[in-house]
DNA sequence: TCTGGGGTCCTAGGACCC
DNA sequence: TCTGGGGTCCTAGGACCC
């Protein structure tokens, strides 16, 4: 029988901050979203203080200060690098590792000699010793059951972070103790509806009729049902899956009214999106630009709109894409509004080597200088850090830039910010 | 004053074709 | 009340994930 493992990092962003600040080991830690907006990660101590996920920072600031909570702005350079370290270790010891998110991976635990529990415990100790990041491991006959086992491992201290549902003497009890909304694939909407029908936990859900579930929750709900019964519907994704769309958007650090600021922000976000596009060796045929005012400000005039700009030739050439984003902005910009957010979406992605050419295309030589240029830009920025070279259209220090008042050093990716150790 | 960002999949319904 | 049948493509909206 096949066995899936779901391996995830505990309170990942908070654990990353702690990895380089051992004195925070027993202090509550929270990490904020971009612009220091909301709480998006909490250490266990912060959770028990009652700090709720997603709470706006300004609403819980007093509580955090009162309890001496260490507060961090998000530092994605650090989290991305520590994530890569964890994933490399998993790939070294496990077969079929599928990276599911920045802090989670599925792995194939079928037929491990000596038993899954021993292997899992050893793996957990290794990751923690080599990276400083604590992890939990759940094992089940399907991905959905592995997820469920992982939750159980975290919740019950006697599991010590590892739980194998396939070897559990009472799997039904585990399903009964899993609230319906905590099942992977069942979101708040469906959970509410199911609860009102008396389907309150994973065990009750599992015994529902297939047709009924499919009718109410489409085939995705049916997959969840069958997975809970131990029939795998979701297999390992082989290799990184190419994205179908790429979005780059941000809320502004300060409200924006000036057209020039929007031009800069559009250029900056397009630059980021184009970098990701080239990294997956693709080109895009459509640039979408969207902007919106602050929807939380009731009573203020609201406006949001989006424009789609088709490209004659699919490309990943940043200046071409910036021009397209700017023409989208020009179409939908309205004077007199205070904007909160804008963004760029690239769609119609195709592999760079298999792209469709337009009948009216000039010969390939016409863009022949684009590719080496972008390669050179990417290489320089990879070597010396993001934005070592950048396009003037992005501006230098626009007031629209993100607020990040509590960012920790990028210990592992920027030389100047390396951890210093002083002998005393 | 202050409320994140980036994705996927599924379905229904409209436009359009012969 | 009744208005052909069958198909494709696209988009918007809903639901979910981290």
């Amino acid at each position: 029988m096949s066995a899936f493992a779901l391996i995830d990092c505990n309170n990942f962003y908070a654990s990353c901050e702690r990895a380089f600040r051992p004195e925070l080991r027993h202090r509550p830690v929270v990490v904020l979203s971009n612009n220091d907006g909301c709480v998006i990660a909490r250490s266990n101590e912060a959770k028990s203080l009652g700090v709720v996920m997603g709470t706006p920072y300004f609403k819980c600031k007093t509580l955090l200060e009162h309890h001496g909570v260490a507060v961090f702005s998000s530092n994605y350079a650090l989290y991305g690098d520590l994530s890569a370290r964890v994933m490399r270790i998993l790939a070294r010891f496990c077969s079929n590792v599928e990276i599911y998110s920045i802090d989670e991976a599925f792995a194939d635990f079928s037929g491990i000699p000596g038993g899954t529990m021993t292997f899992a415990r050893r793996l957990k100790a290794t990751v923690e010793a080599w990276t400083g990041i604590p992890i939990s491991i759940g094992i089940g006959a399907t991905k959905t059951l592995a997820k469920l086992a992982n939750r159980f491992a975290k919740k019950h201290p006697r599991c010590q972070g590892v739980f194998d549902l396939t070897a559990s003497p009472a799997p039904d009890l585990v399903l009964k103790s899993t609230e319906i909304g905590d099942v992977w694939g069942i979101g708040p909407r469906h959970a509410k509806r199911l609860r009102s029908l008396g389907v309150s936990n994973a065990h009750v859900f599992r015994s529902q009729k297939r047709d009924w579930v499919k009718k109410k929750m489409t085939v995705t709900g049916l997959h969840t049902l069958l997975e809970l019964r131990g029939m795998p519907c979701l297999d390992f994704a082989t290799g990184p899956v190419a994205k179908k769309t790429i979005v780059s958007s941000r809320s502004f650090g300060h409200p924006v009214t000036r057209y020039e600021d929007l031009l800069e922000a559009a250029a900056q976000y397009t630059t980021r999106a184009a970098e990701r596009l080239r990294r997956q060796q693709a080109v895009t045929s459509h640039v979408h630009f969207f902007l919106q005012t602050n929807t939380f400000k009731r009573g203020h005039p609201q406006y949001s709109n989006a424009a789609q700009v088709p490209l004659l030739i699919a490309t990943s050439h940043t200046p071409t894409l910036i021009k397209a984003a700017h023409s989208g902005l020009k179409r939908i910009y309205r004077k007199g509004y205070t904007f909160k957010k804008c963004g760029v979406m690239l769609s119609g992605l195709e592999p760079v080597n298999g792209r469709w050419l337009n009948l009216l295309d000039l010969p390939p030589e016409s863009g022949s200088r684009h590719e080496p240029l972008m390669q050179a830009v990417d290489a320089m920025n990879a070597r010396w850090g993001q934005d070592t070279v950048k396009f003037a259209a992005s501006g230098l220090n626009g007031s629209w830039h993100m607020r990040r008042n509590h960012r920790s050093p990028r210990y592992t990716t920027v030389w100047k910010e390396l951890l210093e150790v002083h002998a005393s």
Side-chain angles (χ1 to χ4, degrees), chain A residues 231-366:
Chain A
M231 296 163 56
C233 300
L234 310 167
D235 206 352
F236 286 107
T238 50
V241 182
K243 301 259 180 288
K244 294 172 181 171
T245 57
I246 291 175
V247 178
S248 176
S249 72
R250 296 273 183 287
S251 297
F252 301 125
H254 300 277
V256 166
T257 51
R258 293 175 53 219
Y259 186 62
E260 299 73 47
D261 285 338
L262 291 170
L263 284 171
E264 282 186 11
Q268 175 75 27
Y269 303 161
T270 305
T271 301
R272 289 287 97 82
E275 284 166 359
R276 277 190 268 151
L277 182 66
R278 292 193 294 272
R279 218 172 296 146
Q280 79 168 46
Q281 293 174 23
V283 288
T284 177
S285 64
H286 287 82
V287 177
H288 308 248
F289 181 83
F290 59 91
L291 81 179
Q292 63 190 56
T293 50
N294 189 344
T295 49
F296 287 103
K297 289 204 166 185
R298 293 182 200 285
H300 285 64
Q302 298 288 332
Y303 172 70
S304 77
N305 207 344
Q308 192 192 132
V309 184
L311 302 168
L312 268 178
I313 308 169
T315 183
S316 62
H317 182 235
T318 300
T320 305
L321 300 178
I322 290 177
K323 263 186 215 145
H326 281 174
S327 79
L329 165 62
K330 192 177 169 192
R331 258 169 38 205
I332 59 176
Y333 175 74
R334 298 286 179 273
K335 239 183 158 150
Y337 291 99
T338 304
F339 293 101
K340 175 64 184 166
K341 181 178 183 175
C342 77
V344 168
M345 179 166 89
L346 308 179
S347 71
L349 306 193
E350 309 157 21
V352 66
N353 294 322
R355 68 175 136 173
W356 290 90
L357 294 176
N358 189 302
L359 263 183
L360 302 173
D361 272 358
L362 300 167
E365 300 84 75
S366 63

Side-chain angles (χ1 to χ4, degrees), chain A residues 124-154:
Chain A
K124 176 174 155 66
T126 306
V127 170
E128 293 179 3
W130 292 5
T131 64
I133 303 293
I135 63 170
S136 302
I137 302 179
I139 301 150
T142 64
K143 281 184 167 180
T144 305
L145 289 170
K147 274 276 202 182
L148 196 143
N150 184 289
R151 269 193 69 83
F152 194 82
K154 277 212 188 64

